[in-house]
mmCIF file of all heavy atoms in Angstrom:
data_model
loop_
_atom_site.group_PDB
_atom_site.id
_atom_site.type_symbol
_atom_site.label_atom_id
_atom_site.label_comp_id
_atom_site.label_asym_id
_atom_site.label_seq_id
_atom_site.Cartn_x
_atom_site.Cartn_y
_atom_site.Cartn_z
ATOM 1 N N PRO D 785 -39.490 -76.654 141.155
ATOM 2 C CA PRO D 785 -39.345 -75.639 142.210
ATOM 3 C C PRO D 785 -39.857 -74.278 141.725
ATOM 4 O O PRO D 785 -39.401 -73.734 140.733
ATOM 5 C CB PRO D 785 -37.823 -75.565 142.479
ATOM 6 C CG PRO D 785 -37.174 -76.367 141.393
ATOM 7 C CD PRO D 785 -38.172 -77.018 140.547
ATOM 8 N N TYR D 858 -54.969 -61.022 128.321
ATOM 9 C CA TYR D 858 -54.612 -59.631 128.592
ATOM 10 C C TYR D 858 -54.108 -59.465 130.035
ATOM 11 O O TYR D 858 -53.147 -58.774 130.332
ATOM 12 C CB TYR D 858 -55.815 -58.702 128.322
ATOM 13 C CG TYR D 858 -56.001 -58.457 126.841
ATOM 14 C CD1 TYR D 858 -57.281 -58.542 126.291
ATOM 15 C CD2 TYR D 858 -54.925 -58.184 126.027
ATOM 16 C CE1 TYR D 858 -57.442 -58.356 124.893
ATOM 17 C CE2 TYR D 858 -55.084 -58.015 124.667
ATOM 18 C CZ TYR D 858 -56.364 -58.094 124.118
ATOM 19 O OH TYR D 858 -56.515 -57.926 122.768
ATOM 20 N N THR D 927 -53.650 -55.170 96.209
ATOM 21 C CA THR D 927 -54.807 -55.873 95.575
ATOM 22 C C THR D 927 -54.551 -57.326 95.352
ATOM 23 O O THR D 927 -55.385 -58.195 95.626
ATOM 24 C CB THR D 927 -55.141 -55.170 94.235
ATOM 25 O OG1 THR D 927 -55.269 -53.751 94.509
ATOM 26 C CG2 THR D 927 -56.433 -55.715 93.681
ATOM 27 N N THR D 930 -54.934 -59.168 98.643
ATOM 28 C CA THR D 930 -56.319 -59.374 99.058
ATOM 29 C C THR D 930 -56.983 -60.436 98.182
ATOM 30 O O THR D 930 -57.705 -61.286 98.684
ATOM 31 C CB THR D 930 -57.146 -58.078 99.041
ATOM 32 O OG1 THR D 930 -56.825 -57.422 97.815
ATOM 33 C CG2 THR D 930 -56.829 -57.196 100.211
ATOM 34 N N GLY D 960 -48.834 -76.079 120.148
ATOM 35 C CA GLY D 960 -47.438 -76.420 119.952
ATOM 36 C C GLY D 960 -46.558 -75.282 120.556
ATOM 37 O O GLY D 960 -45.602 -75.574 121.223
ATOM 38 N N LEU D 1007 -63.861 -69.849 136.152
ATOM 39 C CA LEU D 1007 -64.976 -70.603 135.559
ATOM 40 C C LEU D 1007 -66.355 -70.148 135.984
ATOM 41 O O LEU D 1007 -67.310 -70.222 135.260
ATOM 42 C CB LEU D 1007 -64.794 -72.144 135.811
ATOM 43 C CG LEU D 1007 -63.659 -72.837 135.035
ATOM 44 C CD1 LEU D 1007 -63.670 -74.289 135.401
ATOM 45 C CD2 LEU D 1007 -63.801 -72.648 133.538
ATOM 46 N N PHE D 1015 -74.344 -69.133 130.621
ATOM 47 C CA PHE D 1015 -75.709 -69.539 130.905
ATOM 48 C C PHE D 1015 -76.668 -68.401 131.064
ATOM 49 O O PHE D 1015 -77.862 -68.558 130.901
ATOM 50 C CB PHE D 1015 -75.671 -70.437 132.160
ATOM 51 C CG PHE D 1015 -74.951 -71.734 131.932
ATOM 52 C CD1 PHE D 1015 -73.694 -71.957 132.443
ATOM 53 C CD2 PHE D 1015 -75.570 -72.756 131.171
ATOM 54 C CE1 PHE D 1015 -73.027 -73.173 132.221
ATOM 55 C CE2 PHE D 1015 -74.933 -73.946 130.928
ATOM 56 C CZ PHE D 1015 -73.679 -74.144 131.438
ATOM 57 N N GLY D 1158 -35.356 -46.186 132.338
ATOM 58 C CA GLY D 1158 -34.309 -47.091 132.813
ATOM 59 C C GLY D 1158 -33.028 -46.291 133.109
ATOM 60 O O GLY D 1158 -32.233 -46.718 133.958
ATOM 61 N N LYS D 1177 -42.114 -59.845 160.553
ATOM 62 C CA LYS D 1177 -41.079 -59.032 161.214
ATOM 63 C C LYS D 1177 -40.434 -59.861 162.328
ATOM 64 O O LYS D 1177 -41.112 -60.564 163.074
ATOM 65 C CB LYS D 1177 -41.668 -57.757 161.751
ATOM 66 C CG LYS D 1177 -41.709 -56.672 160.697
ATOM 67 C CD LYS D 1177 -41.703 -55.277 161.306
ATOM 68 C CE LYS D 1177 -41.660 -54.251 160.199
ATOM 69 N NZ LYS D 1177 -42.910 -53.493 160.050
#
Side-chain angles (χ1 to χ4, degrees):
Chain D
Y858 285 134
T927 308
T930 45
L1007 288 181
F1015 293 104
K1177 273 204 178 111

